[in-house]
Amino acid sequence: MQILMTEPDSALALHKEAQRLRWLFEAFEHQQHVTEQETGFTYRTDRHDLALAFADWLKDFEAQKPADSRSNAAYVGFAAGLMLRALIRHTPSSVSARPKAAQENDPAHFWPEGYLYVAFCLSVRGQVLRSDYGERQYQSGKLGDLRTWWSFKENTSEDPSRAIGFLDLFAGCEPAWDVPQIFRGRPGFRLATGQPGQTGGHLR
Amino acid sequence: MTHPFPPSLSPGLGASVLRDALRGVTHMAGLAQDALRPISPHLPLPLRDAVEGGLRTLETLTREENAAPLDAATLERAQAFVIGRSDRTADAEACARCLGFAWQHLGRDHEGLHHMLFSEAVTAGLLCKLAECHDSTETQRAAAILETIIGSGAILMLPGSPVGTENGIELACEDIVSSALVWLLAERAASTTQELALLDMAQALTRSTADATASGKLSRAARTAQLRNLATHL
């Protein structure tokens, strides 16, 4: 999976910049181009639906934003998961042209729209962690595993909130499957604030 | 001696009156085309071509003048007024100019609004009065502008409009003026082209939160805070 790696053209920290619709439109368009080059698919993205996804995400993002700054880096991963959930709910992108040669075992061919959304969310997650918190994002082997993608698609069609756990899985982190939509229930939150009883962080 | 049409507009309130007149001509040309459409197949071809061609030309020329890009200085003056940092007449007029521009741009695909006229001159007058009253501080100015425009004669239904076109118009008007205010409150873009894209984004964002930002029973301060919050995330 190819993800965009561009620096923001702004004086704002990236995690602040990413809370603006103008940045989202530009970054998503860039990621769409990168994914089209990688997969051979051509996508059409409805800007109104993308704005709906952004507004949906923003509401959830602000509702659970932690007061304790020690949780900020952990919140980046959660926020990326919320964005994936919003994209899956609002489905702003659709495939307008398919490549001639389909590769059945490739997740990008199994679910092209989901593949684009995951690529976008991982790219934003990775960039924010790197530029604002000096942390590195890992990519799990699950990202290329078709069975995981099959489960991902089926589970999120039943409950889009499960997308949050799957993004954690793809990024090599321990998902909180029980309550994926609650930040305070995540291992990352407990680690950052010193709450006992959980392990977390990246799985190698 | 021939005169170019439309004429180059000079700055100031006089220009807003002339732009209103051009808007009126645009709308009337559109209405005339709509009215002629059912009977045009029965007209003699030369007459039909002459009438339809003339109306189309009139509509296009007058629309182009009002869609002329805004310069950065006008946008900055309008922004100073909307955020409540300026009460100057020139800045109120710049704000009216920008709102008129936004109306033209955002309303272009809304069929119901083709029968509505946004008066830049009336808006400029209302905004000047608003500034003189000094009852709209920085925390209330944006909502005060919205209330003033929606609840006044700045937006008019054209005479001769088809019956029933008023349905849903008030919401559409509020959508456009709210979107324009969010746009004016936001950080300025780097170019005219980007400003236009930003205006479209402001509408998308405002529409997506329409339930939460509907004027309803909100105070001016709360409404202004909502518009400002949207602008922060634009």
Side-chain angles (χ1 to χ4, degrees):
Chain A
M1 178 176 279
Q2 289 180 24
I3 58 177
L4 62 91
M5 295 303 273
T6 54
E7 295 300 333
D9 183 21
S10 167
L12 283 178
L14 187 54
H15 71 276
K16 290 285 183 191
E17 188 71 19
Q19 294 172 43
R20 304 211 298 181
L21 185 59
R22 69 181 86 184
W23 186 91
L24 174 80
F25 276 11
E26 194 179 331
F28 195 86
E29 192 179 327
H30 189 182
Q31 181 62 56
Q32 183 174 314
H33 176 70
V34 169
T35 303
E36 284 177 343
Q37 296 291 311
E38 178 197 351
T39 63
F41 283 95
T42 305
Y43 297 94
R44 184 187 299 115
T45 295
D46 185 305
R47 284 193 153 209
H48 178 62
D49 289 340
L50 190 56
L52 285 176
F54 175 78
D56 194 8
W57 170 80
L58 191 59
K59 193 173 55 185
D60 295 335
F61 174 87
E62 295 203 322
Q64 296 196 56
K65 199 157 58 176
D68 186 340
S69 62
R70 287 177 298 168
S71 297
N72 284 358
Y75 199 64
V76 173
F78 180 68
L82 289 177
M83 175 56 79
L84 182 60
R85 178 176 74 169
L87 289 169
I88 287 172
R89 272 180 180 161
H90 292 281
T91 59
S93 301
S94 57
V95 170
S96 57
R98 307 179 75 87
K100 285 176 185 167
Q103 298 165 32
E104 296 299 328
N105 293 329
D106 185 347
H109 290 255
F110 170 69
W111 188 14
E113 294 87 352
Y115 191 81
L116 170 63
Y117 302 153
V118 168
F120 174 71
C121 293
L122 282 180
S123 75
V124 176
R125 184 185 188 279
Q127 282 188 84
V128 174
L129 284 174
R130 182 170 55 87
S131 70
D132 294 1
Y133 300 101
E135 291 188 11
R136 185 181 161 200
Q137 173 174 265
Y138 297 92
Q139 281 194 18
S140 162
K142 300 281 186 190
L143 203 52
D145 176 25
L146 194 60
R147 282 177 304 177
T148 304
W149 277 82
W150 184 84
S151 172
F152 171 41
K153 188 174 183 183
E154 186 181 70
N155 273 282
T156 52
S157 71
E158 290 171 4
D159 179 4
S161 289
R162 291 179 189 157
I164 300 165
F166 275 96
L167 195 74
D168 287 333
L169 191 68
F170 291 141
C173 293
E174 182 185 343
W177 294 115
D178 292 342
V179 279
Q181 70 276 31
I182 307 295
F183 178 62
R184 296 178 67 87
R186 290 168 65 87
F189 170 78
R190 296 196 179 102
L191 278 176
T193 55
Q195 290 192 14
Q198 289 284 333
T199 57
H202 293 110
L203 302 174
R204 306 289 176 109
Chain B
M1 184 179 170
T2 58
H3 297 280
F5 185 86
S8 296
L9 303 181
S10 58
L13 194 58
S16 70
V17 173
L18 190 46
R19 274 193 293 269
D20 278 353
L22 293 176
R23 281 193 190 95
V25 173
T26 307
H27 284 291
M28 294 315 291
L31 278 178
Q33 288 178 82
D34 290 346
L36 279 172
R37 200 160 288 126
I39 60 162
S40 66
H42 307 292
L43 293 174
L45 193 60
L47 178 61
R48 187 172 74 192
D49 286 350
V51 171
E52 288 182 350
L55 288 171
R56 265 200 306 273
T57 305
L58 201 57
E59 188 183 12
T60 306
L61 283 174
T62 51
R63 191 183 296 280
E64 279 172 2
E65 177 59 42
N66 275 319
L70 297 168
D71 58 77
T74 304
L75 279 164
E76 280 168 18
R77 288 206 310 272
Q79 186 170 47
F81 187 81
V82 173
I83 62 177
R85 293 214 180 120
S86 167
D87 290 337
R88 293 176 57 222
T89 299
D91 296 342
E93 288 169 2
C95 182
R97 169 81 181 104
C98 292
L99 292 171
F101 176 86
W103 178 272
Q104 183 96 6
H105 181 72
L106 298 178
R108 66 195 185 285
D109 296 327
H110 195 299
E111 204 171 314
L113 295 182
H114 293 175
H115 307 296
M116 306 297 289
L117 177 70
F118 178 91
S119 170
E120 188 184 323
V122 172
T123 300
L126 290 167
L127 297 187
C128 287
K129 277 187 192 164
L130 186 72
E132 284 167 11
C133 291
H134 297 294
D135 65 348
S136 61
T137 61
E138 287 186 18
T139 57
Q140 299 181 356
R141 174 63 62 82
I145 293 171
L146 179 63
E147 287 171 22
T148 300
I149 293 173
I150 298 298
S152 72
I155 301 171
L156 307 160
M157 180 161 283
L158 288 162
S161 299
V163 176
T165 49
E166 68 275 14
N167 293 337
I169 286 296
E170 193 169 327
L171 281 178
C173 293
E174 189 166 326
D175 164 52
I176 289 187
V177 179
S178 299
S179 302
L181 289 168
V182 168
W183 170 56
L184 288 173
L185 286 165
E187 183 186 321
R188 300 270 54 88
S191 69
T192 311
T193 310
Q194 288 178 7
E195 282 290 354
L196 211 54
L198 203 60
L199 178 55
D200 286 326
M201 287 183 216
Q203 187 177 42
L205 187 59
T206 305
R207 280 182 174 172
S208 65
T209 55
D211 290 344
T213 56
S215 46
K217 296 169 185 168
L218 289 179
S219 68
R220 276 187 175 179
R223 178 84 166 137
T224 298
Q226 280 187 333
L227 293 170
R228 281 179 174 240
N229 185 47
L230 283 177
T232 304
H233 293 293
L234 184 59

